[in-house]
Structures are given as structure tokens and as C-alpha cells.
């Protein structure tokens, strides 16, 4: 809504035509990341905005201040596929900084149990003690102790996180990719259309019959592996634009089998919330130290006044009694 | 508990700098944190129009801590940090709520489909 308002406002003024174009460019840049044909070896060219730049004061006419309401309006999660040990879901309307935090927490900060201490009483098998201990740590382990091979051990499990040792990591993988976006800029027909289809993963481009000619259309951009094959064809490379939606994350989480995948993601989000709360309470107690000092000072002062008063009253009473005696 | 023990347990510290700095500029030390909280918190704090600069660094890869720097135009840095943490927490609450309802919806759909297939 705001983008539109800005465009309408400046469109009235003929002198600011350049600015209108500029604003259009920004909303494009803000929405997607362009995969340029010039950037061989890298997915993105250096002059394109790969990092986030949607901060207040960065773009004229845009209000990039954090708003929970706006976030809640745009944000959505779609579960694509879910089994006990595999989960694919789309997280839309969030910045890479946040999505990456969840991914990192999944890999290394959701606590699990793993074998930490192995007491080996007897081991005549072909696996050495230290190798066995290491392997046991990386449960699940499948051993087939044949005859005359004996393992007599005591195992101690502890709770830990993947940051300490990979054996505690509750996931096999946790990753995300951005949703690919393929735009065909001009109609591609005939032999060129067939070649274009072959440049992408199966199912991405399909051929439709338009006026008796085969024409290439984008069907499932999601299936694309973002190969850069099309840029090798000189006649095709300028007919398509490859980009990715900046805030559409396709998460893929595979559990090791200890916890269900949806529980893992919930736990990861809770871990980040826990971090926030820890530091919030730290900040509050930091303020309390100053307050404590002030309160202590005040108490000492009041106590002093009170004692002084009591002392003065005592003196007064004493004087009064003495006076009465006389 | 002595002061020393208290200092050891503390996850958040403020780096003491020269006297020329006012309360708008602070460098916080967050113990036991890395890019996970560093970058997501930096993003949210940068979204605050009061903030002139916000960034973080990991001073040494084998030290488990980050230096978190905040410079503002005219607000105490601690206040900005507090707002950032609160915003991140509330945002996570919404993400969690959305995720859980999406999962419940997916499971419901799958269950219904399973019932249809059986009958």
C-alpha cells in the first residue's frame, strides 16, 4: 500500500519522473535477488543487494521501522511435507537474519541427550576402546557382536547442545533455500523453447501450444535447482531473468529420530525466545544494582535520622525528668 | 554470593570506555552468544529509527562471546537494546504461534485425507 502511495504522489509531479523510476527499482530490489549472468562462480553479482538494506533512512519514501503489526500481516508458514523424521515448510515474510537464527539454533542449540562417559570393563572385539566410545557417543549404533567377541560397558548419558559436540545435534540437516523466480521476458517459441526447457530442471518449464507453435511457460519455479545453464546460450540468456524471492525461505529439516521434526522447530523458536528473556532480565538486574545502591543509601540515611531522633528524644526525656526532679 | 561470583555468572556486561561517551553509545558484551543472537538482534535494532549505528563482532573465535555496539541519536543505548530484545521476543512468539497452527492444520488435513482413503 505504501509503495503505491509514494508512486502516485510523485507521479503527479512531472519533474520527479526519474524518482518514480527509482522507487520502482527499489521495490524490485527489496522483493527479489537477481542472479546475474555476469557473476560466474558466484550466485549474485556484487552490485546487487544480497544483504538486507531495509532499514529506516535507507530509502526515501519507505517506512522501514519495525512494526509487529506489519510483520504479522505479511508473515506466513506453509507446511509442504511432514513425516516423523523429515519436514519441509515455507517461511514467508521474514528477514534472512531471523531465518538463519532458527537454522543455526536447530543445528547447534536445541538440547538432546548423548553418551558422554563410557566405562569399558572388557572389550575383546576388533573395535578399539576409543573408537568404540566415540561411536557410542554418536548413537544410533548397530553392532553385531559375533561369538567370542564381548563388550562389557557402562554408559553415562548427559544432556548437551550441538555447539559443544556434533553428537548432541538433534538434526541430520537443517537448511533453507530461497524460492527461485524465473521470468520469461519475451515469448520463446519453437526450437528455442525446447532448448530453454532443457536448461532447467524437469517440470520447471513447460511447452504450451499457442497458435500452433510451442511456447515456453514457467510452471513450477520451485522445482528449479538454480543451475546457470541458460546463461551459456547466447540467444537465450537475455530472454529470461533468474532471481529469487528475498523473503521466501524453503526450510528443510531432517531429524536424527530423537525428536519429531515439528517439535524440533518449535523448540528452536523457544530457544531464541529464551535468549531474549535471559538478556532482558540481565538488563533489568543491571538497572537494579544502581537502584540497590540508592535504596541502601536511603535506608542508612533514614536509619541514621531515626537513631538521631531517638537519641534526641532520649536526651529530651532525660532532661525533662531531671527538670521534674528539681 | 560475592561480587566476583556475581560477575562470573553475568551474561551481559558493559565495556567501560572513555568519559567523552554519553549514554547514547554503548558496547555490550554478551557471554555465550554468537551470530545467532548477534545478527538477528542487530537486524531488529537497526529497524529502530532512533539508532544511528548497530553492529556486533566476535573478538576471538575461541572466546564464546560477542561485542554488541549501539549508537543512537538521542536515546539511551540500554533502552534501545531492551526494545530490540522485546521486539525479537514478541516476533518469535508470533512465529511459534503461526508454526504450531500450521502444523495442526496440516495434521488435520492429512488425517481427513487418510479417513477418506479408508472409506
Amino acid at each position: 500500500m505504501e509503495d503505491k502511495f509514494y508512486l502516485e504522489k510523485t507521479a503527479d509531479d512531472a519533474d520527479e519522473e526519474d524518482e518514480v523510476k527509482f522507487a520502482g527499482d527499489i521495490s524490485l530490489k527489496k522483493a527479489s535477488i537477481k542472479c546475474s549472468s555476469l557473476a560466474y562462480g558466484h550466485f549474485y553479482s556484487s552490485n546487487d543487494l544480497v544483504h538486507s538494506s531495509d532499514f529506516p533512512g535507507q530509502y526515501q519514501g519507505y517506512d522501514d521501522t519495525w512494526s509487529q503489526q506489519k510483520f504479522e500481516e505479511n508473515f506466513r508458514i506453509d507446511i509442504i511435507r511432514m513425516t516423523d523424521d523429515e519436514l519441509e515448510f515455507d517461511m514467508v515474510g521474514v528477514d534472512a537474519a531471523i531465518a538463519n537464527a532458527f537454522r543455526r539454533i536447530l543445528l547447534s542449540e536445541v538440547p538432546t541427550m548423548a553418551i558422554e562417559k563410557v566405562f569399558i570393563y572388557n572389550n575383546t572385539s576388533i573395535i578399539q576402546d576409543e573408537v568404540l566410545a566415540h561411536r557410542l557417543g554418536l548413537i544410533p549404533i548397530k553392532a553385531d557382536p559375533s561369538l567370542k567377541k564381548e563388550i562389557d560397558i557402562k554408559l553415562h548419558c548427559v544432556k548437551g547442545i550441538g555447539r559443544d559436540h556434533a553428537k548432541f545435534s538433534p538434526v541430520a540437516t537443517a537448511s533453507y533455500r530461497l524460492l527461485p523466480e524465473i521470468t520469461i521476458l519475451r515469448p520463446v517459441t519453437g526450437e528455442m523453447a525446447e532448448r530453454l526447457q532443457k536448461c532447467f530442471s524437469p517440470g520447471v518449464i513447460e511447452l504450451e501450444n499457442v497458435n500452433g507453435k510451442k511456447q515456453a511457460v514457467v510452471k513450477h519455479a520451485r522445482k528449479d535447482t538454480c543451475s546457470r545453464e541458460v546463461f551459456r546460450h547466447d540467444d537465450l540468456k537475455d530472454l529470461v531473468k533468474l532471481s529469487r524471492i528475498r523473503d521466501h525461505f524453503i526450510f528443510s529439516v531432517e531429524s536424527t529420530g530423537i525428536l519429531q521434526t515439528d517439535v524440533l522447530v518449535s523448540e528452536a523458536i523457544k530457544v531464541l525466545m529464551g535468549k531474549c528473556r535471559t538478556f532482558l532480565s540481565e538488563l533489568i538486574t543491571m538497572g537494579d544494582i544502581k537502584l540497590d545502591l540508592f535504596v541502601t543509601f536511603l535506608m542508612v540515611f533514614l536509619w541514621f535520622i531515626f537513631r538521631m531522633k531517638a537519641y534526641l528524644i532520649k536526651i529530651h526525656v532525660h532532661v525533662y525528668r531531671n527538670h521534674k526532679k528539681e | 554470593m560475592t561480587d566476583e561470583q556475581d560477575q562470573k555468572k553475568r551474561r551481559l556486561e558493559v565495556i567501560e570506555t572513555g568519559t567523552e561517551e554519553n549514554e547514547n553509545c554503548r558496547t555490550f558484551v554478551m557471554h555465550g552468544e554468537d551470530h545467532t543472537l548477534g545478527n538477528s538482534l542487530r537486524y531488529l535494532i537497526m529497524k529502530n529509527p532512533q539508532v544511528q549505528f548497530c553492529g556486533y563482532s566476535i573478538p576471538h573465535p575461541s572466546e564464546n562471546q560477542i561485542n554488541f555496539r549501539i549508537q543512537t541519536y538521542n536515546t539511551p543505548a540500554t533502552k534501545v537494546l531492551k526494545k530490540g530484545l522485546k521486539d525479537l521476543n514478541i516476533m518469535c512468539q508470533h512465529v511459534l504461534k503461526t508454526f504450531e497452527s500450521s502444523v495442526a492444520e496440516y495434521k488435520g488435513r492429512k488425517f481427513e485425507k487418510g479417513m477418506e482413503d479408508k472409506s
Side-chain angles (χ1 to χ4, degrees):
Chain A
M1 281 301 280
E2 264 183 28
D3 297 2
K4 209 181 160 194
F5 174 68
Y6 179 64
L7 290 173
E8 276 170 8
K9 195 174 69 182
T10 47
D12 292 338
D13 202 346
D15 292 333
E16 290 177 22
E17 215 172 274
D18 286 346
E19 221 171 302
V20 176
K21 206 181 155 201
F22 183 56
D25 281 344
I26 290 171
S27 51
L28 269 178
K29 275 192 169 182
K30 278 168 85 102
S32 63
I33 297 169
K34 194 183 159 204
C35 307
S36 163
S37 59
L38 297 167
Y40 289 113
H42 297 280
F43 273 109
Y44 319 112
S45 66
S46 59
N47 61 353
D48 208 60
L49 288 171
V50 177
H51 57 272
S52 310
S53 57
D54 50 339
F55 300 117
Q58 193 68 240
Y59 299 112
Q60 197 193 350
Y62 283 91
D63 179 21
D64 284 317
T65 309
W66 174 251
S67 151
Q68 181 68 21
Q69 196 196 332
K70 265 191 217 164
F71 169 74
E72 289 186 15
E73 278 168 17
N74 287 324
F75 184 74
R76 72 168 207 272
I77 288 177
D78 305 318
I79 311 288
I80 307 298
R81 192 159 41 85
M82 187 168 83
T83 58
D84 280 350
D85 51 8
E86 221 178 308
L87 171 66
E88 188 180 316
F89 66 96
D90 287 14
M91 191 182 268
V92 190
V94 77
D95 189 73
I98 311 296
N100 195 38
F102 294 140
R103 185 193 62 86
R104 285 176 64 94
I105 291 170
L106 272 166
L107 283 169
S108 67
E109 281 181 76
V110 175
T112 57
M113 298 285 283
I115 293 162
E116 180 75 0
K117 284 199 163 62
V118 179
F119 299 90
I120 303 177
Y121 297 103
N122 191 11
N123 180 14
T124 56
S125 76
I126 51 162
I127 308 170
Q128 298 97 315
D129 290 0
E130 62 273 27
V131 178
L132 178 68
H134 174 248
R135 293 282 178 89
L136 285 171
L138 307 170
I139 268 179
I141 186 168
K142 235 179 183 177
D144 183 21
S146 51
L147 281 170
K148 286 186 183 175
K149 303 267 162 66
E150 182 190 320
I151 299 172
D152 182 6
I153 48 177
K154 205 189 230 177
L155 306 169
H156 287 200
C157 292
V158 295
K159 186 179 172 186
I161 56 171
R163 203 160 60 180
D164 288 337
H165 193 289
K167 70 182 175 186
F168 291 113
S169 187
V171 291
T173 59
S175 63
Y176 59 70
R177 63 191 177 107
L178 291 176
L179 180 72
E181 188 186 36
I182 300 159
T183 325
I184 297 175
L185 301 168
R186 267 173 287 151
V188 184
T189 54
E191 183 269 334
M192 276 167 85
E194 277 175 29
R195 223 154 14 93
L196 188 74
Q197 189 184 28
K198 279 180 188 162
C199 287
F200 295 92
S201 307
V204 175
I205 306 272
E206 269 175 25
L207 302 178
E208 271 180 7
N209 208 330
V210 179
N211 300 328
K213 265 185 175 178
K214 279 177 185 172
Q215 190 177 326
V217 285
V218 181
K219 265 276 139 69
H220 300 289
R222 194 193 173 87
K223 288 183 180 173
D224 193 31
T225 53
C226 291
S227 104
R228 305 165 54 77
E229 174 67 14
V230 70
F231 294 135
R232 299 179 66 207
H233 299 253
D234 284 336
D235 54 338
L236 291 176
K237 70 178 181 190
D238 296 325
L239 299 177
V240 286
K241 196 184 112 194
L242 301 189
S243 53
R244 295 193 213 187
I245 313 288
R246 185 183 283 282
D247 65 349
H248 191 130
F249 295 90
I250 303 172
F251 267 84
S252 159
V253 181
E254 278 176 48
S255 171
T256 53
I258 303 162
L259 288 164
Q260 281 193 323
T261 42
D262 58 321
V263 177
L264 280 176
V265 178
S266 296
E267 287 302 315
I269 300 167
K270 282 177 197 159
V271 167
L272 191 57
M273 282 161 75
K275 281 176 190 285
C276 293
R277 280 198 296 267
T278 307
F279 282 102
L280 271 174
S281 65
E282 288 268 326
L283 259 179
I284 289 161
T285 50
M286 237 166 73
D288 274 358
I289 289 173
K290 278 181 196 160
L291 195 75
D292 277 353
L293 278 174
F294 177 73
V295 168
T296 317
F297 182 74
L298 199 75
M299 291 294 275
V300 170
F301 185 71
L302 284 175
W303 176 80
F304 186 70
I305 297 266
F306 180 75
R307 283 303 296 266
M308 277 296 281
K309 221 175 170 184
Y311 189 61
L312 283 173
I313 288 167
K314 259 185 199 164
I315 292 171
H316 191 77
V317 170
H318 191 70
V319 170
Y320 180 72
R321 275 184 191 155
N322 281 350
H323 184 75
K324 232 184 164 184
K325 267 184 192 172
E326 281 171 18
Chain B
M1 196 186 271
T2 62
D3 274 2
E4 211 175 39
Q5 276 174 322
D6 194 46
Q7 209 67 38
K8 267 182 193 168
K9 238 189 107 188
R10 223 154 238 294
R11 297 273 303 272
L12 186 67
E13 270 182 273
V14 179
I15 289 184
E16 297 296 331
T17 43
T19 46
E20 75 274 5
E21 271 198 342
N22 57 9
E23 61 176 2
N24 297 349
C25 305
R26 282 284 177 280
T27 302
F28 299 94
V29 181
M30 292 170 162
H31 295 280
E33 291 306 331
D34 53 11
H35 297 289
T36 306
L37 186 71
N39 197 28
S40 48
L41 192 60
R42 181 204 59 103
Y43 171 76
L44 269 160
I45 289 177
M46 292 260 283
K47 282 243 171 215
N48 188 339
Q50 285 289 321
V51 173
Q52 188 181 44
F53 173 84
C54 181
Y56 73 96
S57 74
I58 297 178
H60 194 278
S62 55
E63 271 174 22
N64 199 8
Q65 64 180 51
I66 58 170
N67 288 354
F68 201 93
R69 175 78 176 163
I70 299 174
Q71 285 172 215
T72 69
Y73 291 107
N74 207 9
T75 323
T78 40
K79 213 174 157 185
V80 168
L81 178 65
K82 202 184 245 179
K83 189 187 182 303
L85 286 164
K86 274 184 186 165
D87 283 347
L88 186 59
N89 193 27
I90 295 168
M91 196 206 73
C92 284
Q93 271 173 15
H94 181 72
V95 173
L96 184 65
K97 205 180 79 188
T98 315
F99 179 77
E100 281 177 347
S101 65
S102 291
V103 167
E105 194 194 309
Y106 178 85
K107 279 180 178 169
R109 255 188 293 149
K110 216 177 167 187
F111 181 72
E112 271 173 30
K113 209 178 162 236
M115 293 295 271
E116 271 174 32
D117 289 349
K118 269 183 189 172
S119 62

